[in-house]
Amino acid sequence: MKKIIKNGTIVTAVDTFKADICIENGTISQIGSQLSYLGAEIIDAKGCYVFPGGIDPHTHLDMPFGGTVTKDDFETGTIAAAFGGTTTIIDFCLTKKGETLQSAIDTWHAKAQAKAVIDYSFHLQIVEMNENVLMELPVVMEQEGITSLKVFMAYKHQFQADDETLFRTLVTAKELGALVMVHAENGDVIDFLVKKALQEGNTEPIFHALTRPPQAEGEATGRAAILTELAGSQLYVVHVSCAEAAEKIANARRKGIDIWGETCPQYLVLDQSYLEKPNFEGAKYVWSPPLREKWNQEVLWNALKSGELQTIGSDQCSFDFNGQKDLGKGDFSKIPNGGPIIEDRVSILFSEGVVKDRISLNQFVDLTSTRAAKLFGLYPKKGTIAVGADADIVIFNPTVERIISGKAHHMAVDYNPFEGMKVTGEPVSVLSRGEFVIRNKKFVGKAGAGMYLKRAKYGNSQVNNEMKTIKL
Ligand code: URP
Ligand code: ZN
Ligand code: ZN
């Protein structure tokens, strides 16, 4: 059935304007002011912004990590994402040495298929670069439409790859049209500092932050940037947490290196002191890179405003406080790393960014949706409101205030790291390919309705063949 969203203010990465949107067969068929309402379901968006659905380029759902598995799977995680105004996620498909890439991808499809309520895609982890991987990579990239490869420079003895692997991945990505993503921390230095801290009897959660200093992130970011330059390739640095790393990215961009940076809401509003909370509560804030001294927040906001950082990921990687985080009682290095962020990513950026005048409304859309669509080969089907685009739409009330709380959130975990934080603005209704997933703040979607998205190669924007006249 045809739907028309009327009376809203449409906001894209470049424009803000009042117009109605007609949705037919899952896509936006018309944008204008004299649309035919005949036979259409009318959705009133009076007083609301109408945004393109958020795109979260960084999630870990149903992921084994640190001797346990993330609490949110593709069902609870994508339901929470939808409540928060996100309609597409790109999750990290982990691989193992010696296992075929296709087998790892099949495992991730099995996790997502019957569960996701919104559309999803996968980045592919590269742990080794040998003849088998080199042979298989072009095949799976083509068949699966996977065009981003992830290399961990940290988590020694677990996920960490060496510099040769990173460099060969960069060279191969250039040839194949993929974007290389790095977790940039110096894993060897961190491993040394962690062992030393434990030997000295320093076991509390705060030592997670103290053994992963900002210099270890800055060094790895700078090294990855130089290797990218050497390979003539392209790089996306995930979860930038501090001035040292942001500066390395800005300098590399000034040199003309093709490098992009993502930060996350947690680094913009929380700080290292949270890890000092008593009664082991600091463990709730243990993720990597760690939270930093508060002054870094302003550096990150400025980098978003000036375009030196370009996207916001959630790095959703959730563990219960009771039963999972407490695996690290008495040894901070055993606390599973990660936090539940997927639901509040968009709200926090709107409230702390737009409402507090740190970024513009159009920048907010670019940061939470459009730029990720462009970088990861989804644009213009995803990431904008345009004729021919998928009708992934968020109707957002910009004035309502709410308090974030673990009691009210939809993630499967027993705490929320932003507990008690007051935010302005909230998604009211969310549509995925023209169907309501959230309607008037109630979940009305269906597990398995989310579609797997094959993506275009890096730098190849897709042609929108369905452009129709815009009637304004
Ligand atoms: O602590 C984190 N960030 N957990 C998820 C894995 C990663 O490093 O992104
Ligand atoms: Zn990471
Ligand atoms: Zn991550």
Side-chain angles (χ1 to χ4, degrees), residues 28 44 46 67 132 171 188 199 213 246 259 287-288 317 362 365 418:
I28 297 173
D44 190 1
K46 192 164 188 292
N132 290 342
V171 170
D188 291 345
Q199 271 162 15
I259 177 170
W287 43 71
S288 299
C317 187
N362 306 102
V365 171
F418 308 109

Side-chain angles (χ1 to χ4, degrees), residues 62 76 147-148 158 192 215 242 244 281 351 424 452 454:
D62 199 355
T76 61
T147 54
S148 42
Q158 199 178 1
F192 173 85
Q215 292 91 331
C242 60
E244 280 82 350
E281 282 229 24
S351 186
T424 305
Y452 175 73
K454 293 187 178 183

Side-chain angles (χ1 to χ4, degrees), residues 198-396:
L198 291 173
Q199 271 162 15
E200 290 167 358
N202 297 318
T203 59
E204 292 301 307
I206 184 61
F207 285 93
H208 174 75
L210 299 178
T211 55
R212 305 182 86 100
Q215 292 91 331
E217 187 181 342
E219 185 279 327
T221 305
R223 181 160 32 107
I226 290 168
L227 295 181
T228 303
E229 182 182 29
L230 213 56
S233 191
Q234 48 267 346
L235 186 75
Y236 177 100
V237 184
V238 300
H239 52 41
V240 173
S241 74
C242 60
E244 280 82 350
E247 201 174 278
K248 287 287 184 345
I249 293 169
N251 288 342
R253 288 174 68 80
R254 272 195 282 279
K255 277 176 77 182
I257 301 172
D258 195 358
I259 177 170
W260 307 88
E262 165 201 278
T263 189
C264 313
Q266 51 273 39
Y267 301 117
L268 294 167
V269 300
L270 306 177
D271 65 73
Q272 188 176 300
S273 67
Y274 283 73
L275 281 93
E276 292 176 302
K277 284 187 182 252
N279 304 321
F280 197 61
E281 282 229 24
K284 291 179 177 173
Y285 307 90
V286 165
W287 43 71
S288 299
L291 290 172
R292 303 300 190 186
E293 287 178 17
K294 197 166 172 58
W295 61 267
N296 286 279
Q297 293 173 3
E298 198 186 336
V299 175
L300 296 178
W301 279 115
N302 288 339
L304 291 174
K305 189 180 175 78
S306 66
E308 287 171 356
L309 295 176
Q310 299 81 25
T311 60
I312 300 287
S314 67
D315 195 7
Q316 165 77 16
C317 187
S318 62
F319 301 102
D320 271 337
F321 179 56
N322 295 301
Q324 291 190 295
K325 288 283 185 183
D326 51 17
L327 290 170
K329 264 194 177 151
D331 178 350
F332 70 88
S333 72
K334 295 201 167 64
I335 302 170
N337 285 202
I341 319 281
I342 202 166
E343 189 163 347
D344 300 306
R345 181 185 72 106
V346 171
S347 275
I348 289 179
L349 203 74
F350 183 83
S351 186
E352 290 291 314
V354 179
V355 176
K356 296 199 173 164
D357 222 9
R358 289 167 164 140
I359 52 169
S360 75
L361 192 56
N362 306 102
Q363 273 181 319
F364 157 82
V365 171
D366 199 40
L367 287 162
T368 54
S369 176
T370 313
R371 188 65 66 127
K374 288 180 177 171
L375 287 173
F376 294 109
L378 292 169
Y379 189 83
K381 275 308 236 185
K382 306 286 188 192
T384 193
I385 293 186
V387 174
D390 282 355
D392 290 0
I393 291 173
V394 178
I395 300 174
F396 191 90

Side-chain angles (χ1 to χ4, degrees), residues 127 152-162 186-188:
V127 268
F152 286 94
M153 299 172 79
Y155 302 125
K156 200 168 160 86
H157 308 306
Q158 199 178 1
F159 300 141
Q160 188 174 328
D162 57 19
N186 187 320
D188 291 345

Side-chain angles (χ1 to χ4, degrees), residues 121-170:
S121 190
F122 303 142
H123 310 290
L124 184 65
Q125 184 198 2
I126 301 294
V127 268
E128 59 184 345
M129 200 36 107
N130 56 29
E131 295 319 305
N132 290 342
V133 175
L134 280 170
M135 259 181 24
E136 202 191 353
L137 195 53
V139 180
V140 294
M141 278 183 61
E142 193 62 35
Q143 277 172 8
E144 299 283 342
I146 292 180
T147 54
S148 42
L149 309 174
K150 170 76 177 289
V151 176
F152 286 94
M153 299 172 79
Y155 302 125
K156 200 168 160 86
H157 308 306
Q158 199 178 1
F159 300 141
Q160 188 174 328
D162 57 19
D163 282 354
E164 183 190 344
T165 304
L166 173 56
F167 189 64
R168 292 183 77 179
T169 304
L170 284 160

